[in-house]
Amino acid sequence: MIENLKFQDSFNYAYIDEFTKKEIRRKTLKAVCIPGYQVPYSSPEMPISRGWGTGGLHLTLSLVGPDDVLKVIDQGSDASVNACNLRLFVKEMAQCALTFDTAAATIIQSRHRVPEEILTENQILVLQVPQPEILRGVERHEAKTRMMHAEADYAKIWVTLYEAYVRNGHLRSGAGHPIMVNGRYVATPSPIPGWDVPNLSMARCLYLFGAGREKRIHCIPPFTPVKPLEFEDIRFKVEEFVGIKCQMSGQDKAFMDQIYAEDFSRYFVINDSNFLDKVRQGPRPPQKLFTNPE
Amino acid sequence: MSTLVAAKPYNQVFDGQEHYRTLLQATARPGMIGQLDDALLDVPRELNRATALIAMALFSADTSFHIAPGKAEAAEFIQQQTAATRSGPEQVDFLIVPDAMQADALRELDQARVGSLAFPDMGATVIVQVAALSPAPMADCLRLSLTGPGIESETVVFVSGAPELLFETLRSKNIEFPLGVDVFLTCDSLSAGPCAMALPRTTRVKWARV
């Protein structure tokens, strides 16, 4: 315990020094002003490795104050190792309150999921992003992808999408379906399932995306149109869990985890841990559900 | 020096954090008038407290700013408090317009950096001091109706102490998205204290005199 206190005193509030925090804050404001555009930022050294959530951590630490209530989730779960460690680190450094309750949080840091429950205007969702450049798969040079964004030249990503359709028979590509933000920038929603992508559009909360290893911040402001890339005849669809109910709650209409039992049989459980707790204990929290086009 | 009283001395860490959060919310929701909690800080007469608090929250030694010539006291204050460097209006990260009613000030705004297509984030942030901002009509003011990202359908806000030319200049600066400048309108309100409202480059502004 004594060592622990000593450790706290030897760092600035919220770990990052004020000079660097100001830089991250200025860049975040620019990211909000240009929705979907990736703003380069300093990405200072953190006590975890780059690519393990540093981008999200930079944003959270630049935002957090002693009055904030923080929730950290990883793949929808409050209990995963990554989430626990990041949560404790921010708590140690910023003396903020912690919660598992999605509705009570003022800042939510997440990886791979947007919470099922509708987020409000008082909440900021910080998403950790491994690869902020959605065009990296079709063009490996940063200078060229930058020009492609500058000229809104997205032909290559459309071709890739078409090829994926030809190969798989549908547009969905696992996670991180490319999105068009405010009709101008094609961006990555971070590797969230297709299920979550429609929730990015015209939301009440602010979405911030931090990519620590790649040193980029981008943003989707509230009430901003976000469209998943799709063709006129081949439309984007979210995951359909037809005839599937959650083993633990008996509920459906939520993103499900597929779990294998010891006898190799499989069952499904709602992925968002706080949402699962809530539907098991009481009324279902408000959700925005997307209906797939015919 | 200001007549407004504040309880506690300005704290770099905690006041800066609170003000940043207010500015972030204001930027994310154009037309929202953000109230910056006041703190004890001796601000020169030429600056309103909101502008000074924004400078304290965002400026550091790696940023440059410009304020209209003749406002030496204000420039010195910002330099001493934040270590930001002074430069010409066409080069700076932050351009401060102390009085929007002055024609010279708007000429400087016209020179502000808009960034490049590859790096639109290099566009300047402009801080314009106005007489008052309010969600309700005031005497001799402009009615702004705002649409764009961050706004559900339309937000109406009233601003006094700003000429129509200011919004005409901003419209021509921001015509070629993603190039453009992002604006904070600031004022000190007797009831609400220092206030700031953001007009990012994505916001479409229609104005009418009332």
Side-chain angles (χ1 to χ4, degrees):
Chain A
M1 199 62 217
I2 293 164
E3 292 91 322
N4 216 351
L5 287 175
K6 245 166 111 184
F7 181 70
Q8 282 179 29
D9 286 348
S10 55
F11 287 97
N12 186 37
Y13 178 78
Y15 188 76
I16 306 172
D17 62 282
E18 290 306 307
F19 186 87
T20 313
K21 253 194 244 170
K22 280 184 180 180
E23 192 266 351
I24 298 172
R25 288 171 178 170
R26 288 193 302 265
K27 298 297 169 66
T28 311
L29 287 174
K30 282 295 173 204
V32 177
C33 292
I34 316 167
Y37 167 74
Q38 304 157 45
V39 184
Y41 81 110
S42 58
S43 188
E45 202 65 48
M46 283 279 116
I48 58 168
S49 307
R50 281 175 206 282
W52 290 83
T54 46
L57 213 46
H58 291 143
L59 286 170
T60 301
L61 291 171
S62 74
L63 291 164
V64 75
D67 300 332
D68 273 309
V69 185
L70 177 74
K71 173 183 163 83
V72 184
I73 41 177
D74 178 357
Q75 305 257 20
S77 170
D78 293 282
S80 77
V81 171
N82 197 318
C84 293
N85 286 330
L86 294 183
R87 180 190 304 125
L88 285 178
F89 174 67
V90 179
K91 161 88 179 155
E92 289 276 288
M93 289 295 147
Q95 290 91 51
C96 61
L98 300 177
T99 187
F100 293 158
D101 181 359
T102 306
T106 54
I107 302 172
I108 303 174
Q109 180 171 334
S110 174
R111 167 174 172 267
H112 288 201
R113 270 315 302 277
V114 174
E116 295 283 349
E117 199 170 339
I118 293 179
L119 301 178
T120 65
E121 37 281 275
N122 301 321
Q123 299 181 299
I124 299 174
L125 184 69
V126 174
L127 280 153
Q128 301 166 201
V129 186
Q131 176 52 268
E133 182 52 86
I134 194 79
L135 303 177
R136 191 59 73 229
V138 294
E139 174 53 64
R140 63 200 182 99
H141 298 288
E142 167 64 17
K144 284 191 184 159
T145 50
R146 191 161 279 284
M147 279 323 287
M148 287 160 78
H149 282 296
E151 295 165 351
D153 167 18
Y154 295 123
K156 279 189 177 175
I157 193 96
W158 284 109
V159 172
T160 312
L161 218 55
Y162 171 71
E163 286 171 350
Y165 169 69
V166 171
R167 258 198 307 276
N168 311 325
H170 55 77
L171 276 190
R172 218 172 39 244
S173 46
H177 189 88
I179 50 172
M180 173 70 86
V181 182
N182 197 30
R184 174 59 178 81
Y185 281 104
V186 169
T188 176
S190 81
I192 57 176
W195 181 269
D196 291 338
V197 170
N199 286 344
L200 299 175
S201 188
M202 300 305 274
R204 297 198 161 269
C205 67
L206 172 66
Y207 294 105
L208 295 175
F209 299 80
R213 187 184 36 151
E214 305 291 328
K215 306 182 177 69
R216 296 288 185 277
I217 293 170
H218 69 280
C219 166
I220 300 173
F223 302 117
T224 301
V226 173
K227 286 210 174 82
L229 295 193
E230 58 182 4
F231 300 105
E232 271 171 37
D233 48 348
I234 309 295
R235 308 288 299 277
F236 168 81
K237 287 180 181 171
V238 302
E239 291 82 351
E240 280 172 324
F241 301 98
V242 182
I244 288 168
K245 285 215 179 341
C246 168
Q247 180 93 352
M248 295 176 83
S249 64
Q251 303 267 342
D252 56 359
K253 296 203 175 81
F255 190 77
M256 301 281 179
D257 273 339
Q258 197 178 92
I259 295 170
Y260 284 88
E262 275 181 19
D263 61 353
F264 304 111
S265 67
R266 54 181 195 163
Y267 60 96
F268 290 84
V269 173
I270 290 177
N271 167 270
D272 185 329
S273 62
N274 182 245
F275 190 80
L276 176 60
D277 289 346
K278 284 182 177 172
V279 294
R280 288 179 81 188
Q281 282 158 14
R284 215 180 151 93
Q287 246 180 313
K288 193 168 123 188
L289 290 171
F290 179 76
T291 327
N292 278 338
E294 282 305 307
Chain B
M1 300 296 148
S2 167
T3 50
L4 294 169
V5 236
K8 50 183 177 29
Y10 184 85
N11 182 308
Q12 286 275 354
V13 177
F14 297 106
D15 285 319
Q17 182 268 338
E18 256 179 50
H19 295 157
Y20 163 64
R21 284 290 283 280
T22 309
L23 295 174
L24 180 67
Q25 282 295 345
T27 311
R29 298 162 211 281
M32 187 199 103
I33 299 168
Q35 294 176 11
L36 304 165
D37 286 336
D38 211 353
L40 214 57
L41 184 68
D42 266 349
V43 175
R45 194 181 299 278
E46 299 147 347
L47 285 182
N48 63 29
R49 299 192 68 80
T51 307
L53 293 174
I54 293 178
M56 296 292 282
L58 298 180
F59 293 15
S60 54
D62 54 353
T63 47
S64 55
F65 74 100
H66 175 85
I67 186 163
K71 309 283 183 191
E73 210 185 322
E76 226 162 81
F77 167 83
I78 294 171
Q79 261 179 317
Q80 276 177 0
Q81 293 288 334
T82 69
T85 51
R86 289 170 73 178
S87 195
E90 69 287 341
Q91 289 155 3
V92 291
D93 305 315
F94 288 90
L95 181 70
I96 301 173
V97 179
D99 184 358
M101 299 306 272
Q102 271 180 358
D104 298 5
L106 294 181
R107 260 203 297 284
E108 279 175 358
L109 171 57
D110 209 30
Q111 296 167 26
R113 224 166 59 183
V114 293
S116 61
L117 280 172
F119 291 95
D121 58 308
M122 296 305 281
T125 304
V126 182
I127 304 172
V128 183
Q129 304 196 141
V130 299
L133 293 164
S134 166
M138 301 170 284
D140 186 32
C141 69
L142 285 178
R143 178 189 192 275
L144 307 183
S145 49
L146 315 174
T147 50
I151 301 166
E152 194 167 7
S153 50
E154 187 191 54
T155 300
V156 172
V157 68
F158 296 87
V159 51
S160 83
E164 289 179 53
L165 185 62
L166 169 67
F167 299 101
E168 269 165 42
T169 315
L170 285 178
R171 181 179 281 179
S172 68
K173 289 298 273 187
N174 292 343
I175 201 129
E176 212 173 327
F177 186 82
L179 305 185
V181 296
D182 308 300
V183 180
F184 286 115
L185 300 179
T186 64
C187 72
D188 286 345
S189 146
L190 278 176
S191 54
C195 290
M197 188 189 92
L199 294 174
R201 64 190 74 179
T202 45
T203 305
R204 286 177 294 281
V205 187
K206 276 188 209 152
W207 60 90
R209 187 154 286 284
V210 286

